[in-house]
Amino acid sequence: MRHLFRCALIAAFAAACASSGTAVKRSSAGGDDVILSDEIATVQAANAFELIRRLRPHFLRLSGAVSLRGDGDIVVYVDGIRQGGLASLRSIPAAGITRIERLSATDATTRLGTGHVYGAILIATRSSGY
């Protein structure tokens, strides 16, 4: 009986810890697919790639339709202007970024048109007023 009580107590404690959300502090309005300025300010990074790698590494993983040729990349936009693939993130200074959003392939195609087999990353800077 004592063993059963301990197991129940441990299970209740584990459930309480899991639901507390203490593992990663994220902006309440941002969600898992958006990084807002308050969260960006908590990280020291030189460029957008480092910011994303530290805050949402899953943004950098390819997902979506599979290309038979194996080509394609996540498309990066800064203030609505297409920059290129993931490599372009290294040339975007972190200092001016106010928001980063990851779109799935479906959402990117709906919002931005075709050519987003692996989705898109949208970056807004201070100069955009976004």
Side-chain angles (χ1 to χ4, degrees):
M1 184 70 161
R2 183 178 259 178
H3 179 69
L4 183 61
F5 178 74
R6 281 186 195 158
C7 288
L9 184 61
I10 290 170
F13 180 74
C17 290
S19 65
S20 69
T22 58
V24 177
K25 183 181 185 296
R26 298 205 172 155
S27 174
S28 58
D32 199 41
D33 291 328
V34 178
I35 305 170
L36 299 175
S37 58
D38 61 337
E39 191 175 359
I40 291 169
T42 66
V43 176
Q44 292 291 323
N47 56 50
F49 184 86
E50 289 180 18
L51 268 176
I52 294 169
R53 186 174 51 84
R54 291 185 181 139
L55 295 172
R56 301 286 195 294
H58 70 275
F59 279 22
L60 304 172
R61 287 193 289 271
L62 297 179
S63 62
V66 177
S67 171
L68 294 176
R69 293 180 298 186
D71 59 355
D73 201 354
I74 297 169
V75 182
V76 175
Y77 290 83
V78 177
D79 298 332
I81 300 170
R82 189 176 181 142
Q83 302 296 309
L86 289 177
S88 66
L89 291 171
R90 294 185 189 277
S91 65
I92 303 167
I97 296 174
T98 58
R99 176 184 165 97
I100 303 171
E101 181 178 4
R102 172 74 157 100
L103 298 178
S104 68
T106 304
D107 290 340
T109 300
T110 301
R111 286 175 58 179
L112 306 165
T114 60
H116 300 90
V117 175
Y118 295 105
I121 293 177
L122 310 179
I123 296 176
T125 64
R126 289 186 189 124
S127 61
S128 73
Y130 181 48

